[in-house]
Structure formats: structure tokens, C-alpha cells
Amino acid sequence: MKLKLVNLMRVLILLVSSIFLCSLATLVQASCKGCLCVGDPCRLCSLPPMTTDKIVEDEPETCKKIREQVAPISSPPGTNEYFASLDKSTMACIKNGGDVIKNSRRSEAFPARVYCKPYIPTRN
């Protein structure tokens, strides 16, 4: 009898902690802040530019300049061509007033490893 009560308590504690952690994770996902959120609030461009990237009409000037200075590639990450292009595009991003952001949690919306956050003046 005592063994069953201990097992029941363990299951109950596990269940309560699981519900708590799930609700906490939901709250964290709902309040996404920063540039890697749904809708691309910072208008990021991936580094290095890839031939498969979708180019939008109102692309920021910084991203356009990076594409002019560094030719888009089709090489997969890890190749020599990829790293050479990444170095060039990183320098072009910084030279044109952008900030380099490393993406440590890739998703379908943000698949690249590195992004350039262009300088976008605030509207007063």
C-alpha cells in the first residue's frame, strides 16, 4: 500500500510540473521579442546571399548593396565557397551600416545561420 502511494505521488508531481513547464513555454513563445520573430520585424537578409533567397520588392538598401557586392551562391553551408562568401557578405553588411546577427535557433521562417540587420532610420 505504501509503495503505491509513493508511486502515485511521483506521477502527480511529474504531471503538475509538466503542466507548469508547458504553460511557461507557451508564454515565452507568445511574447517573442527581437528580430527573429514571426513577420520579420527587422527586415533581415541572410548571409551569405543565396541563389534560393526570395527577394522582396521593398528590400532594404543595405541588403541590396550586399547583393551588389557579393554574388549569390548555391553552395551548401560548410564548403569553402560558403565560408568565403560569408566573410565577404559580413564585411559588406558592416560596411553598409548593418549589424550581423547569429541565428542559434533556426526555423522555417529563419533558416540561415547568419543574418544582416539593416539600419532602418526611425520615423518621427
Side-chain angles (χ1 to χ4, degrees):
M1 178 79 177
K2 201 171 198 177
L3 184 60
K4 288 183 179 181
L5 184 60
V6 170
N7 287 339
L8 181 64
M9 290 299 290
R10 285 183 184 171
V11 169
L12 188 61
I13 290 172
L14 183 63
L15 183 65
V16 169
S17 62
S18 296
I19 292 171
F20 174 73
L21 290 175
C22 287
S23 63
L24 184 63
T26 303
L27 289 173
V28 169
Q29 287 179 346
S31 62
C32 180
K33 295 181 182 176
C35 289
L36 296 172
C37 291
V38 176
D40 194 14
C42 297
R43 302 184 64 203
L44 303 174
C45 47
S46 63
L47 299 180
M50 303 296 278
T51 55
T52 57
D53 290 344
K54 295 176 185 172
I55 301 171
V56 293
E57 292 177 14
D58 60 341
E59 183 178 40
E61 283 298 315
T62 304
C63 298
K64 288 179 185 177
K65 290 179 182 177
I66 292 171
R67 285 192 175 282
E68 290 171 3
Q69 296 172 6
V70 181
I73 62 167
S74 61
S75 299
T79 60
N80 289 337
E81 184 183 1
Y82 174 85
F83 288 119
S85 184
L86 178 61
D87 290 343
K88 290 176 189 173
S89 59
T90 299
M91 288 186 285
C93 174
I94 295 167
K95 179 178 152 187
N96 291 298
D99 294 324
V100 177
I101 298 175
K102 184 174 181 182
N103 183 11
S104 59
R105 41 181 191 161
R106 290 186 286 280
S107 65
E108 284 184 27
F110 298 99
R113 295 176 180 197
V114 183
Y115 285 92
C116 179
K117 176 187 172 191
Y119 170 73
I120 300 174
T122 56
R123 296 177 186 167
N124 291 330

